[in-house]
Amino acid sequence: MRKSVVGPAFVGLLCWFLVAAAANYHVGYGFLHGYWGISAYIRTINPSVGSNCLMEWDNICISEYPVYWIQLGYDKGDAWPTRLAYYREKNDASGWNKHLFSDGPAADSWHIYQIVNAQQSGNPGKYRFFIDGGDRGYYVVWPYEPKQLSSMAETTSSTVRISGTEHNYLSYYTGQSWTYWYEHSSKCDSPYWIVNLNDYWFTAGGGG
Amino acid sequence: MMQRRIGLAAALAMCVAFLTILAISEKKEGGQPVVFPMQLAEKVSVDELAARAASSGRSLLLPKWMPHNYVLKDVRLFETAILFYSNKDLNISTFEDGYEANVIIQISPSALNPTKEQLTEIIKATPKLELRDVAGRLVILCKDASPDAWMGAHGIQPIMADFHSGEFYYIITARQGEVTPDDMVRIIREMAPVSSDTLR
């Protein structure tokens, strides 16, 4: 009798733990068009994260099933619990990779994060990364055509306060120039909040 | 003896839990960032999809053959069209519901028509990919694509392929073990303009 209770209870606890471990919180905008580049002007916040993580990023989705993407932003809490670090990341058919740079943004500073496909290189799977115009390397990914763009704040726990989050001048690359997003779909996981200022500008906060 | 067995079973379960959490948490940081907003996507018939493609001067290709008697169960459209094939009933109302399909085809408009040389550059950088000529279509095949977070948590290993045709870009995703590389090649070989012969 005892065994029949302990087993399911353990399995239930395990499932809850796995689900809880997998859940991240997202706040921001999506732009449901496949353009070959994204640019976002993102304000840096520097909350206490404890053993959790904060990421603010822009992103190009290259497949919906499976969900594959290319991402650029800054991070707090992944490699260093107290330091802000720039990073680039991809998840594609060959697997996940995150490259943390040794430098990072200062609190309250603004920076431009750009991801652009480098078709002219002769490799359509090559995406280049730029922060404030500075070259931050590249990934070659497959599949490679963009499906949608997004720009968001992400935390691994709702205890992370994201007050002060602001993403502005969200733009897509036409192949020749940058153009502001002309529509958006917003995503906001509770307990966070978002203010939709226009199609290319939002502020967000909450948590803690 | 019984206590020892229970102890061993508990230890094994903890190891599995730890490894699973490790696998998920690796992806968690930087996270699975975006999902197709199923509630914003339009549910369309295959004829509507073909008509919209034709109105923009494009010819849409759809499969005439699928393994295991999979048929087209649902079509969702934003800019990308997502087609769900299965041999069981599907009730797709959320993004996660879509994973229940056995074969998923993503179709998006594309101005690209990459050359063999350009695709070879991708292959060079990603050794697990293969470039094949299937009925005159340059196809990249990945027999063991990396699962995303949902697939990883559910023990699904995807097999994938892509190609361009008629100003559309196609990505086909299936489950390894259910669909073989030869099946995938046959699906692509037998894709044709929408007609009464294409699966629906």
Side-chain angles (χ1 to χ4, degrees):
Chain A
M1 184 66 181
R2 190 175 159 201
K3 192 177 161 191
S4 66
V5 173
V6 170
F10 177 75
V11 171
L13 187 65
L14 177 60
C15 288
W16 172 83
F17 194 36
L18 290 176
V19 168
N24 277 14
Y25 298 81
H26 294 90
V27 187
Y29 276 6
F31 182 68
L32 304 172
H33 300 278
Y35 285 98
W36 292 89
I38 183 170
S39 177
Y41 194 49
I42 300 176
R43 183 182 177 204
T44 310
I45 63 169
N46 189 20
S48 171
V49 297
S51 59
N52 298 299
C53 293
L54 162 78
M55 287 78 64
E56 301 235 2
W57 44 257
D58 59 10
N59 184 92
I60 299 177
C61 173
I62 49 174
S63 170
E64 308 283 358
Y65 293 99
V67 179
Y68 289 153
W69 69 88
I70 313 150
Q71 192 173 109
L72 178 67
Y74 74 88
D75 166 299
K76 184 178 182 184
D78 189 354
W80 302 285
T82 57
R83 239 184 75 188
L84 297 163
Y86 294 123
Y87 73 93
R88 61 175 153 82
E89 180 185 88
K90 65 101 182 174
N91 190 38
D92 72 343
S94 65
W96 176 81
N97 181 269
K98 182 174 184 177
H99 178 87
L100 276 164
F101 294 99
S102 56
D103 60 334
D108 293 326
S109 61
W110 287 83
H111 299 279
I112 301 173
Y113 300 83
Q114 293 175 314
I115 309 172
V116 189
N117 184 269
Q119 284 172 35
Q120 70 281 5
S121 70
N123 185 342
K126 189 174 191 176
Y127 283 84
R128 301 201 68 91
F129 299 84
F130 300 91
I131 298 174
D132 298 327
D135 190 347
R136 294 286 176 155
Y138 68 88
Y139 284 125
V140 175
V141 295
W142 183 87
Y144 51 90
E145 291 224 3
K147 300 279 183 245
Q148 57 176 287
L149 314 178
S150 55
S151 189
M152 296 197 182
E154 177 181 2
T155 69
T156 57
S157 166
S158 61
T159 60
V160 177
R161 286 178 60 83
I162 62 163
S163 303
T165 289
E166 188 169 356
H167 294 213
N168 200 350
Y169 306 117
L170 304 179
S171 307
Y172 61 89
Y173 190 58
T174 63
Q176 293 171 331
S177 61
W178 293 99
T179 303
Y180 295 150
W181 293 4
Y182 51 82
E183 61 183 34
H184 75 275
S185 62
S186 62
K187 179 171 176 60
C188 185
D189 291 329
S190 177
Y192 296 112
W193 50 262
I194 187 169
V195 176
N196 306 319
L197 294 165
N198 59 37
D199 285 331
Y200 56 84
W201 183 19
F202 70 85
T203 58
Chain B
M1 188 64 178
M2 179 61 84
Q3 278 181 330
R4 194 175 168 192
R5 279 187 187 165
I6 291 171
L8 279 172
L12 185 63
M14 290 300 288
C15 285
V16 170
F18 177 74
L19 290 173
T20 309
I21 290 164
L22 202 64
I24 290 172
S25 62
E26 185 188 52
K27 301 235 175 193
K28 170 176 105 167
E29 293 176 357
Q32 180 154 304
V34 279
V35 293
F36 192 72
M38 202 61 77
Q39 72 281 10
L40 297 179
E42 191 179 356
K43 185 178 170 83
V44 296
S45 71
V46 68
D47 293 319
E48 285 175 285
L49 189 66
R52 291 192 198 188
S55 69
S56 62
R58 295 175 163 120
S59 175
L60 187 69
L61 301 180
L62 291 182
K64 290 164 65 180
W65 178 87
M66 280 275 173
H68 311 299
N69 298 314
Y70 299 149
V71 293
L72 183 60
K73 292 290 186 179
D74 207 327
V75 182
R76 299 301 172 103
L77 176 66
F78 207 84
E79 185 172 275
T80 296
I82 305 186
L83 289 76
F84 300 90
Y85 291 81
S86 184
N87 53 11
K88 57 184 186 285
D89 288 336
L90 297 180
N91 182 17
I92 298 175
S93 55
T94 67
F95 178 80
E96 286 74 19
D97 293 336
Y99 284 104
E100 297 301 324
N102 300 87
V103 176
I104 298 170
I105 302 183
Q106 302 172 64
I107 306 173
S108 49
S110 173
L112 273 194
N113 189 15
T115 63
K116 188 173 183 179
E117 289 69 31
Q118 288 174 321
L119 296 179
T120 301
E121 290 299 312
I122 296 176
I123 303 290
K124 279 185 200 167
T126 315
K128 66 160 63 172
L129 304 179
E130 297 173 28
L131 181 59
R132 297 194 185 187
D133 185 328
V134 178
R137 297 172 187 138
L138 289 173
V139 173
I140 291 182
L141 177 68
C142 186
K143 295 174 186 171
D144 57 343
S146 177
D148 66 13
W150 192 96
M151 291 175 166
H154 292 77
I156 295 170
Q157 181 76 38
I159 173 173
M160 299 177 71
D162 80 344
F163 66 96
H164 285 83
S165 178
E167 296 185 43
F168 282 117
Y169 177 59
Y170 298 79
I171 301 175
I172 305 174
T173 304
R175 299 175 180 207
Q176 202 184 85
E178 294 180 359
V179 174
T180 67
D182 286 346
D183 290 336
M184 191 66 102
V185 167
R186 185 172 170 193
I187 291 169
I188 294 168
R189 184 186 301 122
E190 297 194 20
M191 287 178 75
V194 178
S195 71
S196 56
D197 290 337
T198 50
L199 296 177
R200 54 182 71 219

